[in-house]
Amino acid sequence: MRRLLLVLVAIVALLPAAAGAAKKIQVVTTIPDLADMTRQIGGDLVDVTSIATGVEDIHAVQMKPKFAVMLNRTDVVVLMGLEAEHAFLPALIDASRNPKIRREAPGYIDASVYVPVLEVPTRLDRSLGDQHPMGNPHINLDPVRGKSMVRAIADGLARNFPEHTATFQRNAAAYTKELDAAIVRWQQEAAPLKGKKVVSYHPDLIYLTERFGMENFGTIEQRPGIDPTPAHVADLIERMRQAKVEIVVRERHYPAGLAETIAKSTGAKLVELPAMAGGVPEATTYIGLIDYNVRMLVKAVTGS
Ligand SMILES: [Zn+2]
């Protein structure tokens, strides 16, 4: 890890100073969901690149030298926040040597600032390997919270480029309207999901399940980022059978075998879902992601 950081710093030090002022506002986002939102808001004014492609575990995105280079040249960085990107973003920002995007700088755009956060711990303690020290950071899977993220990005861009505030606000309003219409549709489509109990691999579905009236029954992981023990799995299976849990979700970046075994031995349906846009070829946009997840869950319950 330390060696990689030294390499990153060395590469960035060798970069030539940016030649002239780039025409477009340069934006780096951590995940494709944020890239899509930022393009909706920034339109022709922005040039957006995402670090993750959507198939990764947000808590374990692998650092690459090119990410430090991207961050070195960017005007702003847009992130989920709530320490979701703890495994890679702070080190990459350090290595980028770009004062505009340091945590306390205006170019550090945290998309979670207006979002109501669930599972906020009463004390901060990483000793158990907790990946969620600030509360549950998987806010992107709830489209209503997605609207708050859009507002945070629009305000963040306006803070850095006040001359374009009207454009950002107009575009954000149009996209929010689009999201509002989709949310009405998703609520109707998700009617069969009401009251259904769900087990997921990692506790990243809570905002999605809460939005559509499902019940989070438990996780295959013992705690966020802590692998299950055989005793935990046995206990989970027993409790799932008693409670007649109908759905097991494997987020696609987690191992398949165990989720499959648990679904089989409890009679639950196994559903494989992406945790970000880009996680499956059918879900390249943020709206496409929610569309896909709602459709797959409904299909598991209704069989169609
Ligand atoms: Zn997590």
Side-chain angles (χ1 to χ4, degrees):
M1 170 93 169
R2 175 161 298 180
R3 183 169 300 170
L4 174 63
L5 287 180
L6 288 174
V7 171
L8 296 179
V9 169
I11 287 171
V12 169
L14 291 172
L15 290 175
K23 272 211 182 111
K24 293 195 176 190
I25 297 166
Q26 298 298 307
V27 183
V28 172
T29 69
T30 53
I31 66 170
D33 311 49
L34 300 170
D36 183 27
M37 290 172 179
T38 306
R39 285 188 192 107
Q40 301 286 343
I41 298 161
D44 292 341
L45 296 170
V46 294
D47 186 0
V48 186
T49 321
S50 172
I51 290 175
T53 62
V55 299
E56 302 90 336
D57 173 1
I58 193 167
H59 299 307
V61 174
Q62 264 205 320
M63 289 191 272
K64 292 178 186 164
K66 71 170 179 185
F67 299 150
V69 175
M70 278 156 51
L71 287 168
N72 172 263
R73 290 173 176 167
T74 195
D75 294 308
V76 297
V77 62
V78 181
L79 60 145
M80 286 260 278
L82 301 166
E83 304 288 325
E85 295 99 338
H86 180 81
F88 62 102
L89 192 62
L92 285 173
I93 287 177
D94 274 355
S96 79
R97 298 186 168 187
N98 182 347
K100 287 190 285 190
I101 58 166
R102 280 203 293 258
R103 198 171 194 134
E104 67 284 2
Y108 185 93
I109 301 178
D110 180 337
S112 73
V113 290
Y114 301 138
V115 171
V117 181
L118 300 177
E119 296 180 343
V120 178
T122 46
R123 67 194 176 101
L124 196 137
D125 181 5
R126 281 190 193 270
S127 63
L128 297 171
D130 194 345
Q131 291 177 336
H132 297 173
M134 309 283 289
N136 194 305
H138 298 281
I139 51 178
N140 59 317
L141 293 177
D142 168 18
V144 174
R145 282 178 173 79
K147 293 198 296 175
S148 301
M149 294 166 71
V150 168
R151 188 156 64 89
I153 298 168
D155 288 355
L157 289 172
R159 181 173 70 220
N160 287 274
F161 302 96
E163 66 275 26
H164 299 305
T165 301
T167 305
F168 297 145
Q169 283 178 348
R170 191 174 58 242
N171 290 347
Y175 183 53
T176 300
K177 209 173 153 191
E178 204 180 318
L179 276 169
D180 275 329
I183 289 165
V184 170
R185 175 167 57 80
W186 290 321
Q187 291 286 10
Q188 290 164 355
E189 289 171 4
L193 301 177
K194 288 245 155 44
K196 300 294 181 192
K197 298 185 180 84
V198 181
V199 163
S200 57
Y201 201 98
H202 179 79
D204 49 9
L205 295 185
I206 65 162
Y207 296 107
L208 173 78
T209 50
E210 190 200 46
R211 180 60 56 205
F212 296 112
M214 308 173 84
E215 186 190 321
N216 273 290
F217 187 79
T219 59
I220 297 177
E221 276 185 336
Q222 199 148 333
R223 271 190 300 279
I226 306 288
D227 285 339
T229 58
H232 171 74
V233 172
D235 174 63
L236 180 66
I237 288 176
E238 182 54 37
R239 289 190 302 114
M240 284 173 68
R241 282 182 182 147
Q242 280 172 16
K244 299 186 169 43
V245 173
E246 285 180 58
I247 300 172
V248 172
V249 172
R250 177 178 75 89
E251 304 85 333
R252 299 177 67 101
H253 53 281
Y254 288 107
L258 184 55
E260 219 167 279
T261 306
I262 291 173
K264 266 192 192 133
S265 51
T266 58
K269 284 264 173 58
L270 179 65
V271 186
E272 297 177 321
L273 299 182
M276 307 176 215
V280 289
E282 300 92 321
T284 52
T285 63
Y286 180 61
I287 287 179
L289 170 75
I290 309 292
D291 255 337
Y292 184 87
N293 285 353
V294 169
R295 196 166 69 237
M296 289 299 130
L297 287 165
V298 169
K299 193 175 161 193
V301 169
T302 63
S304 63

